[in-house]
Amino acid sequence: TLIEAGLYAVLVYQETYHEAEYKKHHPKGKKSNFNYRLETPDRLGRAGVHKIGLGALFGLEDWRADSFFTALHLKYLQKTYWKTKYSISFPRLRPHSGGLEPKVEMTDKDLVQTICAFRLLDEDVELSLSTRESETFRNHIVHLGITSVSAESKTNPGGYTVDPQTLEQFEISDERPTETIAQMLKKQGLEPVWKDWQHFK
């Protein structure tokens, strides 16, 4: 039904693939069901959603382990729902209003290593970096495997209907307008592509 109404992509992040750690952060509600969350991309694949986004929130668990299981999840989905396009995101845990600190810190160097590893794993998968990362970091990473960057985006729940963003862990770092991001890409010899799909009835 949603696809017929124009749904193109669904990005659903597992947060962490460590089940016991996951339950510490999601003790209540539907999201507390680890397996239901884990199987969400399968439901999207069976429905025929054009693009599925995966990712772990690096810092809840060792980023190396969560990167490994994200890669395994990607390869399983690609084999099972081979008509679907996939995207990988790399959110890092930010300071939390409740005081939650990363279990294992992921440095800029670690993140670059992870992005390069995913690009070596799959030369075609979309690798996306959000506005949660700094302007300087995003300026330099676009030549190291990233194929999608956001601009003027909201990362907090309901972010496009509430103002301002109220939770510290959802604050963005790169607040440049979309056109400025496009100009940055052009100066680096890259072509901004606004839309790479079209649904024809």
Side-chain angles (χ1 to χ4, degrees):
T1 300
L2 291 173
I3 292 171
E4 292 174 357
L7 178 69
Y8 160 69
V10 177
L11 314 179
V12 55
Y13 305 141
Q14 187 60 26
E15 312 289 24
T16 178
Y17 286 86
H18 190 297
E19 185 171 1
E21 197 68 25
Y22 178 95
K23 290 181 178 179
K24 292 179 183 178
H25 302 290
H26 303 292
K28 297 179 180 179
K30 183 171 280 190
K31 194 175 180 180
S32 66
N33 186 326
F34 177 85
N35 289 321
Y36 184 85
R37 183 76 170 186
L38 185 64
E39 294 164 1
T40 300
D42 282 277
R43 293 191 293 276
L44 299 172
R46 289 193 297 270
V49 171
H50 180 79
K51 182 170 74 174
I52 299 172
L54 303 175
L57 179 54
F58 294 124
L60 293 181
E61 184 52 45
D62 190 325
W63 60 267
R64 299 165 187 86
D66 270 334
S67 296
F68 174 77
F69 283 107
T70 301
L72 282 183
H73 201 179
L74 170 67
K75 286 304 169 184
Y76 155 74
L77 292 167
Q78 286 177 325
K79 183 176 181 180
T80 308
Y81 312 104
W82 52 271
K83 292 183 179 180
T84 301
K85 181 178 179 180
Y86 295 93
S87 176
I88 302 293
S89 294
F90 304 90
R92 290 190 279 184
L93 184 62
R94 296 179 61 86
H96 187 276
S97 56
L100 178 66
E101 293 297 325
K103 185 175 181 179
V104 178
E105 181 184 3
M106 185 185 219
T107 65
D108 287 355
K109 182 179 178 180
D110 296 333
L111 181 52
V112 170
Q113 178 184 354
T114 303
I115 290 168
C116 290
F118 269 92
R119 180 50 68 220
L120 290 171
L121 174 72
D122 191 309
E123 63 182 20
D124 296 318
V125 69
E126 177 183 285
L127 301 183
S128 178
L129 199 67
S130 80
T131 52
R132 289 165 64 109
E133 296 296 337
S134 71
E135 175 179 334
T136 300
F137 187 85
R138 285 175 20 117
N139 285 354
H140 288 86
I141 200 65
V142 292
H143 282 294
L144 294 177
I146 290 296
T147 53
S148 175
V149 291
S150 55
E152 297 186 69
S153 59
K154 304 284 188 179
T155 57
N156 60 316
Y160 293 98
T161 58
V162 297
D163 189 54
Q165 296 196 135
T166 54
L167 298 176
E168 188 176 4
Q169 73 266 33
F170 295 110
E171 287 184 357
I172 63 174
S173 293
D174 189 348
E175 298 183 345
R176 291 174 291 176
T178 304
E179 189 52 43
T180 302
I181 300 292
Q183 290 301 322
M184 177 272 290
L185 294 173
K186 290 177 182 177
K187 287 180 181 178
Q188 298 201 46
L190 300 171
E191 178 186 0
V193 177
W194 304 100
K195 180 179 177 182
D196 64 355
W197 65 278
Q198 182 64 54
H199 179 70
F200 295 101
K201 292 185 177 180

